[in-house]
Amino acid sequence: MFRKVSLALSATVMMAGAAWADPIEGNWKTQAGSTAEIAGGGSFSITLKSGKHAGKNIGSFKAAGANKYTGTITDPDTDKTYSGKATLSGTSLKMSGCVLGGLICRSQTWHKL
């Protein structure tokens, strides 16, 4: 009896932990076809997991409202860092990076794996 209760409690705690994860956390397919992992808590780190820049940290974001995030994003090809924004919509994440106070921006959409 105790074992059944213990297993049920363990399963409930594990499911609750997954429910508490921020929706931005997880693995994403970038527009270039690489896999990027977003992990963290109060601050989210973006690390490429596949492709020619695998293992490289390319950004850091913080929550800025419902499904909105702000921080920095680095172009892995040039190592230039930009002011970044991300907006989550379902399983799509629109990422954008800007320079010159938002005068010049590039964006792409990532998809949750």
Side-chain angles (χ1 to χ4, degrees), residues 20-34:
W20 290 331
D22 197 283
I24 197 174
E25 291 181 293
N27 291 316
W28 296 85
K29 180 68 77 177
T30 68
Q31 200 163 302
S34 298

Side-chain angles (χ1 to χ4, degrees), residues 23-24 28-29 67 69 86-95 108-113:
I24 197 174
W28 296 85
K29 180 68 77 177
N67 297 323
Y69 304 84
T87 303
L88 182 66
S89 178
T91 59
S92 296
L93 184 65
K94 183 176 181 183
M95 306 283 288
Q108 55 179 259
T109 301
W110 295 3
H111 299 281
K112 191 119 188 196
L113 294 175

